[in-house]
Amino acid sequence: MIDLMDNVGRSDPQPNLGGASDLLIIGAGPGGYRTAEYAAKQGLKVTIFESDEVGGTCLNVGCIPTKTYVHAASFAEARERMPQVVAQLRAGVEGILSHPNITLIREKASFVDARTVTCPVCGDIIATKAIIIATGSETKWLPLPDIGSDPRVVDSTGLLRLDTLPRRLAIIGAGVIGMEFASVFQRFGSEVTVIEYLKECLPALDSDIAKRLRKTLEKQGITFKMKTAVQSLADIDADVILMATGRHPRTEGLNLQAAGITLAPNGSIPVDEHFRCVCGNTIATNDVYAIGDVNGRQMLAHAAEMQGIHVVNQILGKPDNIRFDIMPAAIFTEPEAASVGPSEDQLKAEGTPYECRKAFWRANGKALAMNETEGLLKLFSAPDAGLILGCHAFGAHAVDIIQEVSVLMCMGATVEQLRSMVHIHPTLSEILLSAAEA
């Protein structure tokens, strides 16, 4: 195989490869490059296609740049550090993809059939084992009449590219993207208004937790207009308007019909429990998989990575114990929030018997010492100190606490077992122990 890393930054065309490869991957975001790395280490010959920067949305214009903003003291510092952080991490991904078993082709690819993809520089390449679609997602825009003519409107990528801090920022959508940017830009000094159609922010989060988090952000100075539908951008008084109404699977140009794949009504690629592409109730092909945002299952970078690893294991006939029903998620507001497993609202709706135990940051010694007393944790379990079902929380380092719960759930732990586990004092992790003892 030819390693196209030697062509990075050159103007001369890449060679026409043709031929075959064990595994073809379309997209070099977190799902794609992590899958390529894992497959290569298992001895598979991998060809991966990426027409944009490696690392995908997450590294270049998503998770990583946003978190750089979260941890910056000012807008100026964020603008200075973000490109440095992104460049360093992107170089790391380039290094991963320089593995001798991996060929990186910096072009778009499309299907010829369920075994073959093609691109301008390489012609047709046959997958001897499988093809994985990992093309991620893109901004979902509201169909407003003036959406294309209002220069104030940006998506998250556009907001990260602003050179000047907006005096007034309006955010349409109170999901993860909207809430994180609201928290960050308010702290930087912008006058922030969040407009949301639903009655509460962060619908995937426990409603009690979401409401308390919103109230905390309101105290910081963010204005929320809940249960409000945007009819026209002309009605919004702001210097910049962020469209944060979700993400849409990216499938344009893949020629999926050639592989026997039909999109679901929401635009995602339907897959089975092993992420094989399906058509209706039948597998479209055993040889084509879709991982990450493009399948619409769990639109999280870490979900894409683990889905890719599972697919490679399926290809190689290796069993694994990855629990896709236990998927932690985080919101990096200030304070941050996180969850794993169902919320209390979901448990009630499903009629699942449960017990709810609560613990508060204000009762924790470390939180008091840090002056971080805003926070609530809700731990759900089967009755009588049984199996841990889930946990939702907001407060300083809530993400780290939820990660511990995720590990416990993967191990099938009970609340009774949690009570017997020693936690360092003083730490915020003792909040979880307090909930177990409640």
Side-chain angles (χ1 to χ4, degrees):
M1 301 292 287
I2 301 172
D3 188 347
L4 297 181
M5 289 299 297
D6 289 339
N7 291 317
V8 175
R10 294 183 184 175
S11 59
D12 52 305
Q14 297 174 5
N16 188 298
L17 299 179
S21 190
D22 294 330
L23 177 63
L24 305 181
I25 302 174
I26 305 176
Y33 79 72
R34 180 73 176 91
T35 302
E37 177 187 30
Y38 180 68
K41 288 180 178 178
Q42 306 303 309
L44 296 180
K45 295 292 185 181
V46 181
T47 300
I48 184 167
F49 301 85
E50 178 54 68
S51 60
D52 208 333
E53 297 285 3
V54 299
T57 296
C58 179
L59 192 158
N60 294 287
V61 292
C63 321
I64 299 302
T66 305
K67 264 32 104 196
T68 307
Y69 272 50
V70 167
H71 294 287
S74 66
F75 181 74
E77 180 188 328
R79 289 291 301 151
E80 181 181 358
R81 287 197 66 241
M82 181 183 68
Q84 299 169 3
V85 172
V86 170
Q88 181 175 338
L89 291 173
R90 189 189 296 146
V93 176
E94 298 273 8
I96 288 171
L97 297 179
S98 67
H99 189 286
N101 280 357
I102 300 174
T103 299
L104 170 62
I105 300 180
R106 296 177 180 274
E107 292 284 345
K108 290 184 177 180
S110 61
F111 282 89
V112 175
D113 54 42
R115 282 280 191 175
T116 312
V117 302
T118 190
C119 81
V121 303
C122 66
D124 295 352
I125 300 182
I126 298 171
T128 61
K129 295 189 181 297
I131 299 172
I132 298 176
I133 305 167
T135 47
S137 62
E138 56 197 4
T139 301
K140 184 191 296 182
W141 298 87
L142 286 182
L144 299 173
D146 47 356
I147 194 73
S149 58
D150 195 323
R152 300 175 299 164
V153 182
V154 297
D155 61 2
S156 57
T157 301
L159 190 66
L160 288 167
R161 290 174 177 167
L162 290 180
D163 293 324
T164 305
L165 178 69
R167 185 173 67 85
R168 298 168 303 167
L169 172 65
I171 299 174
I172 304 175
V176 175
I177 295 172
M179 293 292 281
E180 289 189 353
F181 277 120
S183 181
V184 166
F185 276 79
Q186 186 279 328
R187 183 168 53 81
F188 286 164
S190 294
E191 197 178 291
V192 179
T193 300
V194 179
I195 306 167
E196 172 56 53
Y197 178 77
L198 300 176
K199 66 178 181 180
E200 193 50 86
C201 65
L202 300 166
L205 194 64
D206 183 89
S207 60
D208 189 16
I209 300 289
K211 180 179 179 179
R212 289 170 183 259
L213 175 61
R214 175 173 57 82
K215 291 294 185 182
T216 299
L217 295 179
E218 283 179 339
K219 291 177 184 177
Q220 295 173 5
I222 298 172
T223 300
F224 285 89
K225 294 184 177 181
M226 310 306 293
K227 296 191 289 187
T228 302
V230 177
Q231 303 294 336
S232 171
L233 297 173
D235 299 328
I236 299 176
D237 186 19
D239 303 305
V240 174
I241 301 172
L242 169 63
M243 187 66 64
T245 49
R247 306 278 299 175
H248 183 80
R250 183 185 286 118
T251 59
E252 186 178 358
L254 289 174
N255 193 27
L256 295 173
Q257 299 88 341
I261 299 169
T262 302
L263 295 178
N266 67 355
S268 65
I269 298 177
V271 294
D272 68 5
E273 70 274 17
H274 298 300
F275 310 105
R276 293 186 183 92
C277 297
V278 300
C279 185
N281 293 321
T282 61
I283 297 174
T285 169
N286 284 319
D287 304 314
V288 182
Y289 299 78
I291 63 170
D293 287 9
V294 76
N295 68 33
R297 289 285 186 91
Q298 298 163 311
M299 299 180 86
L300 299 162
H302 48 280
E305 292 181 5
M306 298 308 290
Q307 289 175 12
I309 290 171
H310 181 71
V311 167
V312 173
N313 288 339
Q314 286 290 303
I315 293 168
L316 298 175
K318 293 179 60 174
D320 62 46
N321 297 306
I322 301 172
R323 293 284 303 273
F324 290 103
D325 59 324
I326 300 174
M327 187 61 64
I331 305 102
F332 291 95
T333 46
E334 189 175 319
E336 61 192 33
S339 65
V340 62
S343 65
E344 187 168 12
D345 314 84
Q346 292 171 315
L347 291 168
K348 287 179 178 178
E350 295 165 359
T352 302
Y354 73 95
E355 292 180 351
C356 176
R357 294 172 170 83
K358 297 181 181 180
F360 295 86
W361 263 244
R362 64 174 178 264
N364 176 265
K366 180 70 177 293
L368 282 168
M370 294 168 61
N371 196 27
E372 295 279 3
T373 56
E374 287 287 340
L376 167 66
L377 179 143
K378 296 174 71 173
L379 179 66
F380 310 113
S381 65
D384 302 320
L387 188 71
I388 297 173
L389 302 175
C391 188
H392 290 229
F394 89 99
H397 296 280
V399 174
D400 303 309
I401 297 173
I402 293 300
Q403 182 59 56
E404 179 182 348
V405 180
S406 178
V407 172
L408 291 170
M409 290 174 64
C410 286
M411 301 304 293
T414 65
V415 171
E416 188 63 44
Q417 290 173 319
L418 172 56
R419 289 173 184 159
S420 302
M421 296 176 183
V422 178
H423 284 67
I424 299 170
H425 176 76
T427 61
L428 295 175
S429 67
E430 291 176 293
I431 296 170
L432 177 60
L433 188 58
S434 296
E437 294 172 344

